[in-house]
Structure formats: structure tokens, C-alpha cells
């Protein structure tokens, strides 16, 4: 291993922990490895190692194994987002489930490597500034390593997160101010006490640890790189590390390309994305972040910005901002459609990806990996709004009133019939409607059967596919419109087929709405359904 200074390119062997270039004093150092040698050893070694981030240990800057501080972080699942992918018309949509790390966020990779390096350097005490998750991770790993941690937390961090840091035995200092101010206070404290200060994005351990996300994704895809890696960004170490990871894999001949990098930031604190849009060489700092998502509130990205800018340009990636509301909506959607509850900072990546899909940046055939960077526990109150809980008082004895109250728990009143021969589409639509809780949903997969069912027992609304074997959707629609009793039932046509102009014109007259598969969101569908049921 060698260290190389990004400022002056000076390179020297990595013999001990260093933070500055001895020649120019530059504080952004990269680690250089003998990739050819590693490649040869990996052929033999990887087969026998457990699936944790330390299986790639040859490409991590720790000198001796005995210093490793681990809770078997990394090795997280790469989940196929079937429902979401279907809804968005992006079948190769994957979620890197970083929630499944020991303390619930991808910061555990950083903590495991950084605290191992700290132990190797003989540190017994250190200082960190954080918006929450870094402090939680560092506190947990410092507990295992026997290192005293001083954690400076920005006051906007959720109280639950602060308590968790304290639980691990760290000293918690809550700083009223922005994250950038919190970092300054921590730096002053470290300096006065002569303590080691974690250097965030400038820390080589932080960036190097994130490479393991790239290694895992490539291995999980059968040693292939995806077309996109998308992440919500605050300080930027994730995408910078992931990019370096793919660079190393390509140099080793293990993948043949580098994914496009998608950088998503919260609208109320998006110095990287905004500076990128303006074509600036250095970031324009956001002095007063205006987002409720504390994790994403880095106002001054410092040296990360020019690096990210170059990476996104070089890879043909994209940057996007999302509002807090878009983020909460995405958070709710991921939970309802994929069973994944994630913290807002993680959901922001998805909200951004939805926008990149809608704008056509991400094409239908592309393989997309989105980082679900952290778990939400407990669920943030902003995401749910009102009325998400039923309260019932158990009666002392069975009573009529209690049974009525129980019945009223189920607010479903409207009956929906789905007519579609594609079981995936039926599952998706059913799921969207179920998550609203106000519809009874039935499904049939044939046109003739649908007509028979509708005649016997007319539903309140029909969701109709066009292409089916036997009697197709056009014929069902004709038959309904010809029947005096049934012609007023609203029909929403859902089709995967591209329509000819005259077909579209005819459908417009007969159907309440036409939704093209892969083009509508759950909200579109629900809105059209409700409008059809309650015409104004
Ligand atoms: C830290 C963090 C981010 C942002 O990561 P960076 O790569 O450092 O910008 C996103 N999501 C969660 C959950 C985080 O903890
Ligand atoms: Zn230098």
C-alpha cells in the first residue's frame, strides 16, 4: 500500500497512520494498492470468506488484521424492488439494503474501518461531529474497541438518536447551530484537548470503507457493474468511495465499466447539486439549511464538491434535489410497496431516483442500484400525518357497542374489479389499492369471465387491461357500453401496449381514464379512482 497526495501527487509507502502529505501539507490522501497482486489472491481467498465488508480486506487500509473492530458489518442484501420496478417500468431496480448493518445505517462500514485504524494508531480517545448516524456508529464501535468518544451532535438530530449515542457510553455534546458550526466546535474542543478529531470526508478510512459497497454490488450482480448507483448525499463520502471501488474493480478486470453516479440532495440544503447546476468550480455554501432531514444538512461540502462534480460528469451521471414532502412520500411508498421502512435521508435517494426516471435520465432497460442507507426507528412523525392509529378500549364484558366499533375498523366500502391476465400487474395494483384501505379488490384474468361477474354483481369501478387472450379489453368495453345497466360504471383502462391515435381517441370516449403501464404512479391511480367514484 502507498499513500498519494491529491494536491501534489507525491507518493510514499503506507507504513503508519498519517493525515498530511509530508511534502506539501495537503490533507486529502488516497491509498494506492497493488491491484494485480490482489486480483490473483482474491481468486483463491474470496471463495472461503464470509460475506461481510472485511472479505475485501486486501483493499482496505489497515496494516494488521488483529486491529480489526467488527460486528460483521456490510454483506448487506441486494434486493430486487419488484413492485416498485413494475410500477416505474424499470424491471432492473435494486435496493442495497444498508439498513441491515449493526446500528442500522451504512455508517457502520465507515466506523468499522475508522475505529480499526484508530486502534492500530494506538488512540484511546477521539472526537467526532455528526448529524446522528456517524455518532451512533462510532459510539458502538468505540465501545468494542475501548476508545473514549466525544460526540458533538447538531441540535436538530432526533432525540432518539442522541440517546442511542449516550447508551453506547459516549460523551454527548448537543450543539445548537448548524452542522458546519457543530464541526467547528468539535474541532476547537479537539485542538484544546489535544485529541484526535475524525476528519469526515477528508478521512481516508471513511472514503475507503465505502468502496466495499461497490465490491458487494458487483459481486451480487455476478461481477457486473450496474448502470446506475444512486444515493442521498450530505458530506459525499458514499458516492466518492463507491466510485473509487468500481475504479479498482475495473482496473482488476472484474467489471467492465463504471456506473453512472446519481447524487440526490434535500432541496433545502443542496450545495452540491445547486453548484453543479450553476457550473461552479467550488461549492457555494448553504449557511442556513432549510430541511427537516438533519442527516442531509451539510451546508459546506468542502473538498467533496469538486470531486463529486468530476465523478458525475465523467460517468454521465446526474444530480437532483428533492423536497422534504417528496421524501416523506417516497418513504411511505417504500414501506407500502416493498416492506422497507427507512429513515428520510435514505428515502430521499428514492424520491430523487423517481425524478430521474420521470425525466428519462434512467432508461427502462438499465440496472439501477439505490442505497437504502439507513433504518428509521422509530418512524418519524412527519411521514405519517394524522389518523394512522385506531384506538380501542377493551370492554370488561362483551357488548353490542364494542362489536360495532370493531366492525367500523374496516373502512372499506368501494368494490374494485381488476381485469388483467398479468399476475404481476394484478399484484401491483392490488397492493396500491390495499395500502389505501378503502377498497375491496377482486380480480379476474379473462374478458368473458369479467363480463359475467360484472353482470351478476356490478362493482363500483373497473380496472381493465386491453391485451388478454380470448375476449380482449376493447371487446369488454364495447359490451359494457352497450348494456344500459352497466354503461355508467367507470372503467379505467390500464395498458402496457402503445396505442394508435384512433384507438386512443375511441378509448377516451368509452373509458374514464387511460393509464399506461410504467408511466403512472400509485398517486395517479388513486387520484383517478377517487375522481371516478366521486365525480365533481
Ligand atoms: C450519512 C448518511 C447519508 C449521506 O451520506 P454521504 O455519502 O456521507 O453524503 C445518507 N443517508 C444516511 C442514512 C446517512 O447516515
Ligand atoms: Zn502533497
Amino acid at each position: 500500500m502507498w499513500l498519494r497526495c491529491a494536491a501534489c501527487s507525491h507518493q510514499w509507502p503506507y507504513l503508519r497512520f498519517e493525515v498530511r502529505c509530508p511534502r506539501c501539507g495537503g490533507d486529502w490522501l488516497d491509498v494506492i494498492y497493488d491491484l494485480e497482486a490482489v486480483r490473483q489472491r482474491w481468486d483463491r481467498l474470496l471463495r472461503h470468506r464470509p460475506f461481510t465488508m472485511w472479505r475485501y480486506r486486501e483493499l482496505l487500509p489497515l496494516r494488521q488484521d488483529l486491529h480489526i473492530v467488527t460486528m460483521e458489518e456490510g454483506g448487506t442484501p441486494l434486493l430486487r424492488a419488484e413492485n416498485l420496478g413494475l410500477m416505474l417500468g424499470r424491471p432492473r431496480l435494486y435496493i442495497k439494503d444498508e439498513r441491515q448493518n449493526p446500528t442500522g445505517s451504512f455508517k457502520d462500514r465507515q466506523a468499522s474501518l475508522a475505529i480499526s485504524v484508530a486502534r492500530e494508531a494506538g488512540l484511546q480517545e477521539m472526537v467526532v461531529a455528526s448529524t446522528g448516524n456517524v455518532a451512533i456508529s462510532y459510539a458502538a464501535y468505540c465501545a468494542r474497541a475501548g476508545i473514549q468518544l466525544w460526540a458533538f451532535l447538531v441540535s436538530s438530530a432526533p432525540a432518539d438518536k442522541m440517546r442511542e449515542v449516550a447508551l453506547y457510553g459516549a460523551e454527548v455534546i448537543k450543539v445548537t447551530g448548524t452542522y458546519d458550526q457543530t464541526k467547528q466546535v468539535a474541532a476547537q474542543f479537539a485542538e484544546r484537548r489535544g485529541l484526535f478529531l475524525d476528519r469526515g470526508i477528508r478521512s481516508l478510512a471513511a472514503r475507503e470503507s465505502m468502496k466495499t459497497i461497490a465490491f458487494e454490488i458487483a459481486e451480487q450482480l455476478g461481477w457486473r457493474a450496474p448502470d446506475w448507483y444512486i444515493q442521498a448525499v450530505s458530506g459525499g463520502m458514499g458516492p466518492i468511495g463507491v466510485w473509487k471501488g468500481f475504479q479498482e474493480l475495473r482496473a482488476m478486470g472484474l467489471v467492465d465499466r463504471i456506473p453512472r453516479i446519481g447524487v440526490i440532495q434535500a432541496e433545502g440544503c443542496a450545495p452540491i447539486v445547486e453548484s453543479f447546476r450553476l457550473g461552479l468550480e467550488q461549492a457555494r455554501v448553504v449557511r442556513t439549511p432549510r430541511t427537516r432531514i438533519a442527516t442531509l444538512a451539510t451546508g459546506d461540502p468542502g473538498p467533496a464538491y469538486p470531486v463529486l462534480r468530476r465523478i458525475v460528469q465523467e460517468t454521465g451521471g446526474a444530480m437532483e434535489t428533492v423536497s422534504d414532502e417528496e421524501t416523506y412520500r417516497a418513504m411511505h411508498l417504500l414501506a407500502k410497496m416493498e416492506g422497507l421502512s427507512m429513515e428520510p435521508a435514505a428515502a430521499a435517494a428514492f424520491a430523487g431516483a423517481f425524478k430521474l426516471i420521470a425525466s428519462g435520465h434512467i432508461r427502462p432497460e438499465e440496472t439501477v442500484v439505490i442505497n437504502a442507507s439507513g433504518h428509521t426507528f422509530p418512524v418519524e412523525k412527519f411521514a405519517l400525518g394524522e389518523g394512522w392509529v385506531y384506538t380501542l378500549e377493551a370492554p370488561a364484558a362483551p357488548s353490542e357497542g364494542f362489536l360495532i366499533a370493531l366492525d367500523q375498523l374496516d373502512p372499506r366500502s368501494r368494490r374494485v374489479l381488476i381485469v388483467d391476465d398479468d399476475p404481476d400487474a394484478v399484484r401491483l395494483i392490488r397492493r396500491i389499492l390495499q395500502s389505501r384501505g378503502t377498497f375491496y379488490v377482486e380480480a379476474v384474468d379473462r374478458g368473458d369471465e369479467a363480463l359475467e361477474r360484472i353482470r351478476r354483481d356490478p362493482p363500483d369501478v373497473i380496472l381493465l387491461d386491453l391485451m388478454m387472450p380470448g375476449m380482449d379489453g376493447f371487446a369488454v368495453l364495447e359490451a359494457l357500453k352497450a348494456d344500459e345497466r352497466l354503461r355508467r360504471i367507470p372503467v379505467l383502462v390500464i395498458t402496457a401496449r402503445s396505442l394508435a391515435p384512433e384507438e386512443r381517441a375511441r378509448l377516451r370516449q368509452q373509458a374514464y381514464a387511460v393509464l399506461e403501464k410504467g408511466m403512472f404512479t400509485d398517486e395517479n391511480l388513486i387520484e383517478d379512482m377517487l375522481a371516478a367514484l366521486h365525480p365533481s
Side-chain angles (χ1 to χ4, degrees):
M1 286 185 263
W2 295 267
L3 292 176
R4 186 170 61 198
C5 168
C8 76
S9 301
H10 176 51
Q11 195 167 314
W12 68 101
Y14 181 23
L15 298 176
R16 80 188 103 81
F17 181 66
E18 276 173 284
V19 296
R20 288 193 181 275
C21 167
R23 184 175 289 174
C24 78
D27 69 352
W28 185 293
L29 308 180
D30 284 309
V31 194
I32 314 291
Y33 303 84
D34 182 349
L35 295 174
E36 188 44 48
V38 173
R39 165 77 219 246
Q40 282 169 17
R41 294 188 61 196
W42 271 13
D43 279 344
R44 207 166 18 84
L45 289 173
L46 285 194
R47 234 172 305 143
H48 305 294
R49 287 186 177 161
F51 198 55
T52 78
M53 84 170 209
W54 286 97
R55 77 193 254 100
Y56 311 107
R57 115 122 276 357
E58 284 72 21
L59 295 185
L60 294 174
L62 187 75
R63 297 178 40 73
Q64 290 183 294
D65 281 3
L66 67 109
H67 296 123
I68 293 177
V69 184
T70 182
M71 291 193 258
E72 304 208 352
E73 49 295 315
T76 57
L78 186 67
L79 306 171
R80 178 104 179 267
E82 284 191 33
N83 290 332
L84 209 57
L86 194 63
M87 184 172 106
L88 298 166
R90 296 296 181 280
R92 291 195 259 278
L93 190 64
Y94 292 89
I95 298 172
K96 184 63 172 159
D97 193 3
E98 289 292 297
R99 304 171 317 149
Q100 297 197 36
N101 278 300
T103 76
S105 89
F106 76 146
K107 297 297 195 305
D108 288 336
R109 296 179 191 264
Q110 175 188 358
S112 179
L113 182 56
I115 304 306
S116 299
V117 169
R119 181 150 88 172
E120 189 160 78
L123 297 182
Q124 279 163 10
E125 228 173 309
M126 64 188 286
V127 179
V128 73
S130 169
T131 56
N133 290 344
V134 166
I136 291 175
S137 290
Y138 273 46
Y141 284 81
C142 278
R144 292 175 76 79
I147 294 175
Q148 169 77 24
L149 182 70
W150 298 85
F152 287 73
L153 280 132
V154 58
S155 53
S156 57
D160 297 290
K161 288 191 176 182
M162 291 196 199
R163 279 196 291 270
E164 188 174 349
V165 180
L167 183 67
Y168 292 124
E171 297 297 329
V172 180
I173 302 97
K174 174 168 145 186
V175 180
T176 308
T178 64
Y179 179 41
D180 295 316
Q181 290 168 324
T182 306
K183 280 194 272 195
Q184 283 165 14
V185 174
Q188 284 165 356
F189 174 81
E191 168 139 42
R192 295 176 69 85
R193 290 289 190 96
L195 294 177
F196 178 78
L197 172 72
D198 183 79
R199 295 154 60 257
I201 185 73
R202 289 179 173 81
S203 150
L204 143 180
R207 284 174 278 130
E208 290 290 305
S209 71
M210 291 295 151
K211 297 188 311 189
T212 59
I213 297 177
F215 301 159
E216 288 175 19
I217 291 171
E219 199 173 356
Q220 286 167 314
L221 291 173
W223 292 112
R224 275 190 321 114
D227 297 298
W228 286 90
Y229 170 79
I230 298 177
Q231 195 204 297
V233 170
S234 190
M237 103 197 137
I240 292 175
V242 166
W243 175 81
K244 187 177 188 238
F246 280 110
Q247 291 283 344
E248 290 176 352
L249 292 181
R250 188 172 63 174
M252 287 191 284
L254 287 168
V255 302
D256 61 0
R257 64 188 148 153
I258 310 295
R260 300 174 193 275
I261 302 293
V263 167
I264 314 297
Q265 290 205 290
E267 204 170 82
C269 185
I272 295 171
V273 182
E274 273 162 21
S275 306
F276 182 79
R277 284 178 178 155
L278 293 169
L280 305 180
E281 308 250 319
Q282 294 298 325
R284 182 182 290 171
V285 170
V286 172
R287 299 261 166 239
T288 328
R290 294 184 201 289
T291 171
R292 286 201 214 105
I293 306 168
T295 306
L296 297 183
T298 300
D300 181 1
Y305 169 70
V307 178
L308 278 171
R309 177 170 184 246
R310 181 173 52 79
I311 288 175
V312 170
Q313 281 170 342
E314 261 179 39
T315 61
M319 295 204 189
E320 187 57 91
T321 56
V322 292
S323 68
D324 289 3
E325 283 62 39
E326 285 167 333
T327 298
Y328 292 132
R329 220 177 299 139
M331 179 178 168
H332 210 171
L333 187 65
L334 262 295
K336 289 190 296 185
M337 302 294 285
E338 299 292 342
L340 304 177
S341 166
M342 60 188 73
E343 71 170 273
F350 290 82
F354 299 162
K355 285 183 156 179
L356 294 178
I357 288 172
S359 63
H361 275 89
I362 299 175
R363 295 193 304 271
E365 71 285 0
E366 290 186 311
T367 302
V368 183
V369 175
I370 307 176
N371 188 333
S373 44
H375 203 294
T376 186
F377 185 78
V379 173
E380 302 250 339
K381 57 180 179 299
F382 298 118
L384 284 182
E386 302 290 318
W388 49 271
V389 61
Y390 299 109
T391 311
L392 276 184
E393 204 158 325
S399 79
E400 189 71 11
F402 183 69
L403 295 178
I404 292 171
L406 263 190
D407 288 343
Q408 283 168 351
L409 276 187
D410 187 348
R412 289 183 295 177
S413 57
R414 300 300 191 155
R415 291 184 44 242
V416 181
L417 181 68
I418 305 172
V419 189
D420 198 324
D421 65 323
D422 174 358
D424 285 339
V426 173
R427 190 191 71 235
L428 173 68
I429 295 166
R430 193 189 278 279
R431 184 62 209 138
I432 291 174
L433 297 178
Q434 278 172 347
S435 68
R436 259 320 159 92
T438 49
F439 306 104
Y440 287 104
V441 185
E442 294 169 301
V444 292
D445 59 2
R446 295 169 52 93
D448 48 1
E449 200 185 317
L451 264 188
E452 198 187 295
R453 175 86 69 104
I454 296 165
R455 292 206 169 103
R456 190 161 20 101
D457 193 9
D460 295 303
V461 63
I462 299 166
L463 297 179
L464 180 65
D465 181 27
L466 287 180
M467 309 251 285
M468 286 176 289
M471 186 177 201
D472 70 7
F474 290 102
V476 173
L477 205 48
E478 290 290 342
L480 289 175
K481 294 299 152 184
D483 187 324
E484 192 50 45
R485 210 167 53 96
L486 306 177
R487 69 191 322 164
R488 264 177 290 279
I489 302 176
V491 178
L492 276 65
V493 167
I494 299 191
T495 179
R497 183 177 138 187
S498 42
L499 298 167
E502 64 277 8
E503 284 177 331
R504 191 169 286 136
R506 191 169 54 146
L507 286 174
R508 283 254 165 77
Q509 294 196 332
Q510 295 179 329
Y512 184 83
V514 180
L515 294 158
E516 292 179 50
K517 277 183 192 162
M519 304 284 292
F520 68 90
T521 65
D522 60 322
E523 293 294 331
N524 299 143
L525 176 63
I526 299 278
E527 273 166 31
D528 281 342
M529 293 261 308
L530 294 177
L533 288 164
H534 309 281
S536 50

